[in-house]
Amino acid sequence: MPDNPTSPVVRNAAPIQTSVIWGSDRFLVSTPDVWVNLPNATIPQQVGVGGGSPSIGALFVAIFSAESLVKVQGDNGICWLDITFGGQDPHPESDNHRFDSSINLGTEWRSVSTTRIMEIPPTIPLVNATAQVRVKYSGGTLVECGLQNWSLTLFRYA
């Protein structure tokens, strides 16, 4: 799947699987510039994609939302967030997945969301498609960077 398709990817059926997980615990990022997995923000695809699974190919649409806060000295902090599928980068492919920033000195928790897409073409060998949310912080001297009251929804289309 190209990263900038010129026409939409169309599936003419409802999702064959919808999975949702959520959590209310506050998670604070403590080490700058290191991707860390958001605890429990994982939706495993135990049988994966391929021969012997619910589909030999799949289109996954993941939607993540959370309350986020970024506080730094100097008002130049960024909370990066991405969702990987079996450890692979999704679409849109980019090294600029800004989820939140310290705009206005990060004085208030706010609700933010993102969507990621992964298409796995038809294959016979099983492919791991476990969805995992990861975050990192970069910028000025960190005061607080975190997420709370989050949800991850994953739609699987054949």
Side-chain angles (χ1 to χ4, degrees):
M1 167 190 266
D3 196 47
N4 295 299
T6 56
S7 59
V9 175
V10 177
R11 295 294 193 264
N12 292 320
I16 63 170
Q17 183 180 39
T18 302
S19 306
V20 181
I21 192 164
W22 60 88
S24 59
D25 292 342
R26 184 173 292 179
F27 175 75
L28 299 176
V29 178
S30 57
T31 305
D33 299 315
V34 176
W35 284 107
V36 294
N37 291 337
L38 178 62
N40 302 316
T42 303
I43 297 179
Q45 297 296 306
Q46 290 91 347
V47 294
V49 176
S53 78
S55 60
I56 62 167
L59 176 72
F60 292 95
V61 178
I63 302 169
F64 178 81
S65 62
E67 293 170 0
S68 177
L69 178 67
V70 182
K71 284 185 177 182
V72 299
Q73 295 175 4
D75 202 23
N76 62 348
I78 300 166
C79 176
W80 306 84
L81 185 137
D82 207 1
I83 304 168
T84 60
F85 293 84
Q88 301 298 309
D89 292 331
H91 295 283
E93 290 180 9
S94 172
D95 59 359
N96 189 10
H97 292 297
R98 295 167 182 247
F99 188 69
D100 197 3
S101 69
S102 59
I103 192 166
N104 298 325
L105 299 174
T107 56
E108 185 64 44
W109 287 87
R110 57 187 147 256
S111 184
V112 187
S113 66
T114 193
T115 302
R116 295 289 182 263
I117 311 297
M118 175 61 85
E119 183 176 39
I120 299 174
T123 181
I124 296 303
L126 286 177
V127 174
N128 179 358
T130 296
Q132 172 67 59
V133 176
R134 63 183 186 163
V135 296
K136 77 175 176 177
Y137 164 79
S138 65
T141 303
L142 180 64
V143 176
E144 184 175 12
C145 175
L147 304 171
Q148 65 184 14
N149 300 325
W150 57 266
S151 67
L152 172 63
T153 304
L154 182 65
F155 300 98
R156 178 183 182 145
Y157 299 87

